Amino acid sequence: YAFPSWVLSIFGQAYTTGQASLLILVTGAFVNAASGSVIIILNMTGKQKLAHRILLVVGLLNIGLNGGLIPLLGIQGAAIATTLSTIAWNLTAAYAIYRYYGFWTFQFTKLFSA
């Protein structure tokens, strides 16, 4: 837990209170990186309308989650809303790619395949 504090202290001591938010956001960033370029794949393979719908629904989800969580949890609520939205868009798009093209974009799925 010292690492987030050090990173945030680069911007000033007042920012170190955001450690929990940073860790929450890093979780979303990890899922985003692990899922690959799912929206780009959908766009490049003629499924741009699907990609658009996914991002539209997830954008509305993000607005709703932010509206509900920020009053309750403050900055951590915003981090949770953003992370959940990021995970939702990546998992939904990854599933769409699997459904239409028969492969998972997650690299670690190779560990479980025969």
Side-chain angles (χ1 to χ4, degrees), residues 42-103:
L42 290 174
N43 280 331
M44 290 178 11
T45 58
K47 300 292 184 194
Q48 61 272 17
K49 288 183 182 179
L50 176 60
H52 177 262
R53 284 193 302 268
I54 290 169
L55 292 178
L56 180 65
V57 169
V58 171
L60 294 172
L61 173 69
N62 193 333
I63 291 168
L65 287 172
N66 273 298
L69 293 175
I70 290 174
L72 295 173
L73 302 171
I75 189 73
Q76 289 181 0
I80 292 168
T82 299
T83 297
L84 290 176
S85 299
T86 300
I87 291 170
W89 116 43
N90 280 282
L91 294 182
T92 304
Y95 176 74
I97 290 168
Y98 175 74
R99 186 171 151 232
Y100 286 107
Y101 305 112
F103 69 93

Side-chain angles (χ1 to χ4, degrees), residues 1 3-5 7-8 18-35 76 78-80 82-84 86-87 90:
Y1 287 85
F3 182 69
S5 179
V7 169
L8 292 169
Q19 292 179 54
S21 298
L22 179 61
L23 291 172
I24 293 166
L25 290 168
V26 164
T27 302
F30 173 78
V31 172
N32 188 30
S35 67
Q76 289 181 0
I80 292 168
T82 299
T83 297
L84 290 176
T86 300
I87 291 170
N90 280 282

